[in-house]
Amino acid sequence: MAERLKEEILHREKLVDVVAGPDAYRDLPRLLAVAESGQQAANVLLSLDETYADILPVQTSAGGTTAFVSIMRGCDNMCSYCIVPFTRGRERSRPIASILQEVRMLSDQGVKEVTLLGQNVNSFRDLSEVQFQSVAAPGLSRGFSTVYKARAGGLRFSHLLDQVSRIDPEMRIRFTSPHPKDFPDEASVLQLIHERHNICKQLHLPAQSGSTRVLEAMRRGYTREAYLELVHHVRDSIPGVLSLSSDFITGFCGETEEDHQQTVSLLREVRYNVGFLFAYSMRQKTRAHHRLQDDVPAAVKKRRLEQLIATFREEAARANAALVGHAQLVLVEGPSKRSASELCGRNDGNIKVIFPDTELEEAAECRAPGRAQPGDYVMVKVTSASSQTLRGVPLFRTTLSRAAASH
């Protein structure tokens, strides 16, 4: 926002003394000194290399069970609807050593689940070590293209995921968001998900639309058919339970009713467990703002979004219903928001699970019976399911490693 609205904030509104963009924190002492002299100060320049690698976040929630670790900033994809390349700059990745240091710190604090964050995590490339500069540039998934030329060199996301998953066998690892174009170039990522018990069998594959025509206008670099082929490849590569989530934008420039129905049919065909669905909203500076017309009426966007949400929930409910009668390993996060007598956590697929807070046996009988605490792993037998939530009865407390060994 600082980068986008600098002039308006400083001059028209006259509300603030200092405007600092996301990459300007090192310049804050100078900016504050300027402000103290009675002048307005601003720095909204985007850096080509700033990753905050030498600043470890302070965990403000003592005893928290989950945490997010930023591994990269920016994006090179230039999708026509997206403001990110203009507000966060080009892709740049943190050195792997600094990421591992942060994850070890979180493990020492008792965190049991870490999500690796980036605008496009599977294009991660650590260029900080000279000996890896000669590594060949990556390829793309079959049927995918990109508007930029991939650069050679650097340690890839698969290497980072391998190293992170080795730190603590009792810590779950997730990552988001990957871009579909970077699979199966990172086929080793799919192999790691399959092999490592602490890398969650869950993948976020943002589709954005089910229409090839709209995908082309969005500059996503793939067709509907290529995306579906990738989904089948992923599910073949990771047998067993695999939760898929996705992003969708409805009402993009020029979207017809036929385009919309193709998105509806994609939701039905893939059957996502988790979905993030939005009506299109034009952003300044984007290619769509300069080249396309936001011509789908607001009422039509609203109706289409409502239909997408209804379709997603219907299919997600069917996917989750398949888990009824099966045991799920749940990481306890705390009391349920709706009832103090129930606990809430998430399974491997990142689906919320609610179950009664009762005394539980320990699987290996190394601890006395007791109530589950945040950070505990509990095996829960699912008794009912909706599109958003699973409910069940707790069976026993266990560990991530023990649960993996018993399957």
Side-chain angles (χ1 to χ4, degrees), residues 73-137:
R73 289 183 59 78
C75 184
D76 288 346
N77 288 313
M78 303 300 290
C79 300
S80 62
Y81 55 81
C82 186
I83 192 69
V84 167
F86 305 99
T87 55
R88 298 185 192 176
R90 300 296 299 273
E91 280 183 9
R92 61 264 194 207
S93 302
R94 277 176 69 180
I96 285 179
S98 75
I99 299 170
L100 298 180
Q101 179 188 357
E102 184 174 343
V103 174
R104 289 190 192 99
M105 179 188 74
L106 293 169
S107 174
D108 292 341
Q109 293 175 0
V111 169
K112 290 294 180 67
E113 181 178 293
V114 160
T115 302
L116 305 177
L117 285 182
Q119 201 67 32
N120 188 17
V121 290
N122 55 342
S123 66
F124 175 91
R125 187 172 62 257
D126 176 8
L127 296 166
S128 64
E129 298 189 40
V130 176
Q131 66 264 38
F132 299 109
Q133 298 292 341
S134 61
V135 177

